[in-house]
Amino acid sequence: MTTVGSIETNLDKLVEEKTDGKSASFSEFYRSHQLYIRNMLFRIGIRDELDDAVQITFVKAWTKLDKFEKRASVKTWLTRIAVNVAYERFRKLKPAPPTPPRQLQRTENRVENQQLVSRALESLTIEHRLVVVLCLIEGHSLEEVSEITGHPVGTIKSRLHRARTTLQKTLKELGLEL
Amino acid sequence: MKKTDDFNKLDLFIKENAPLAPKPAEGHEAAAADALSRQLKKRSSLVRNSWIVLAIAASAFLALRSKETPQVVPQRVAVQQIIDDIAEDYGQGDDTPAPAYENWELLAESVSTAAVSRQ
């Protein structure tokens, strides 16, 4: 599993190598971090073009590595690029018709619970889903999410609160009482 | 307090059961990384910001899109990035207006049609 610590270390090393004109390894960069980016993009709703979105994220990150100013952490910077790629994808897609609620039961089966969470996430707007994924699942702080999305911390807080309320309601409709 | 407790339970349930992206086919990840790496090396040697490069890139993009396989995706992504970069470069020029994206696609279609008719 890729940890936040290893992302920071590897990307810092990579930035340094590329800036110094050394032969940094793009393959290593991609292999080290693609799982984190892949899961994050999937969770915010990228489905059919997931491979494309992951690869575009890394090509963009690599080509703009020289411009990375270290104002934010490297993980935040990479996440921001991925989120922008996702937004470009969403803009090109027509909104999917809402799916009717289907009863699912909370079980000890992890796969079924993941389906429940997936359905609940789909009920959110993209802005709310993004905040839930980044804050609750990926463990980013409110300040980091503010940096990634370009919205003030207050907006992120309020979106998170509304998203949680919607999630609770949706999960209840799906037959889950927490 | 009840609300906070409820949110804590909700947060935990969401985190513990976060959906996972389907795993790519075996070998795909390594192949994609290597293919992207090769494409980026080739890309750096290209003379950018030129209509000739754009035309070749657009043609390649269309050709690759027509025979999509997991191995082809990285090449198409790299080509798409070249097109996007050129479009961005034009946008940053002092006097040269950035062509609308639709025009790039139109150009790509023309190049592709011409390529097919020559075959």
Side-chain angles (χ1 to χ4, degrees):
Chain A
M1 186 179 164
T2 308
T3 63
V4 173
S6 70
I7 284 181
E8 295 295 326
T9 308
N10 290 343
L11 273 180
D12 271 341
K13 185 169 163 258
L14 201 71
V15 170
E16 200 177 300
E17 280 188 356
K18 196 177 178 204
T19 309
D20 294 347
K22 292 179 186 167
S23 56
S25 162
F26 175 82
S27 296
E28 187 191 338
F29 172 55
Y30 181 85
R31 286 197 188 98
S32 309
H33 313 304
Q34 69 89 27
L35 186 62
Y36 161 73
I37 293 295
R38 189 178 175 81
N39 276 326
M40 196 273 293
L41 286 169
F42 181 79
R43 287 162 179 162
I44 62 175
I46 298 291
R47 295 288 190 270
D48 296 340
E49 297 185 327
L50 184 61
D51 284 340
D52 272 29
V54 172
Q55 291 175 20
I56 288 171
T57 298
F58 280 92
V59 171
K60 279 184 187 290
W62 182 255
T63 53
K64 294 180 192 302
L65 206 55
D66 301 338
K67 296 174 187 166
F68 176 59
E69 292 172 354
K70 295 195 174 183
R71 276 182 304 158
S73 76
V74 279
K75 187 188 178 193
T76 302
W77 173 73
L78 189 59
T79 307
R80 187 170 62 219
I81 293 172
V83 167
N84 286 337
V85 169
Y87 269 117
E88 283 171 21
R89 298 266 136 181
F90 289 133
R91 271 195 292 272
K92 287 180 187 169
L93 295 174
K94 289 179 182 170
T99 47
R102 182 166 56 89
Q103 288 287 311
L104 293 167
Q105 295 297 314
R106 181 181 187 176
T107 69
E108 294 310 309
N109 185 321
R110 191 177 176 84
V111 175
E112 287 174 20
N113 284 341
Q114 283 176 347
Q115 285 176 353
L116 265 175
V117 172
S118 194
R119 292 291 298 270
L121 287 174
E122 283 168 19
S123 72
L124 300 174
T125 62
I126 176 61
E127 287 81 10
H128 287 185
R129 198 184 314 144
L130 186 60
V131 171
V132 168
V133 169
L134 294 178
C135 285
L136 302 189
I137 300 176
E138 307 297 352
H140 286 279
S141 68
L142 292 170
E143 289 73 19
E144 284 171 344
V145 179
S146 165
E147 174 70 31
I148 290 165
T149 60
H151 296 295
V153 171
T155 306
I156 303 300
K157 262 187 196 172
S158 124
R159 283 181 181 174
L160 185 59
H161 180 81
R162 275 182 280 157
R164 278 168 161 153
T165 308
T166 309
L167 281 174
Q168 268 184 334
K169 185 169 165 277
T170 308
L171 286 171
K172 198 173 179 182
E173 282 171 9
L174 292 169
L176 179 71
E177 287 281 359
L178 287 168
Chain B
M1 189 64 191
K2 170 89 169 54
K3 189 129 193 155
T4 310
D5 287 348
D6 287 350
F7 276 164
N8 286 342
K9 284 180 193 167
L10 174 78
D11 292 356
L12 192 63
F13 183 74
I14 298 285
K15 187 167 177 59
E16 282 181 348
N17 297 291
L20 293 169
K23 284 187 180 170
E26 196 163 336
H28 179 219
E29 182 194 322
D34 292 342
L36 273 172
S37 181
R38 280 196 303 275
Q39 294 298 323
L40 285 169
K41 277 180 193 162
K42 282 184 197 167
R43 178 180 173 280
S44 64
S45 66
L46 282 174
V47 180
R48 288 170 37 189
N49 204 4
S50 122
W51 283 97
I52 296 168
V53 175
L54 172 67
I56 294 167
S59 176
F61 172 73
L62 284 177
L64 292 168
R65 191 171 62 179
S66 68
K67 50 175 184 180
E68 191 89 333
T69 65
Q71 286 71 32
V72 164
V73 168
Q75 297 168 33
R76 181 166 58 71
V77 166
V79 171
Q80 179 68 60
Q81 186 64 37
I82 293 171
I83 296 175
D84 288 348
D85 279 359
I86 295 171
E88 196 177 310
D89 285 348
Y90 267 94
Q92 289 169 357
D94 291 334
D95 304 316
T96 316
Y101 194 77
E102 292 73 27
N103 292 344
W104 304 92
E105 290 204 324
L106 267 180
L107 174 69
E109 294 285 354
S110 323
V111 170
S112 178
T113 308
V116 169
S117 65
R118 275 200 297 272
Q119 282 175 355

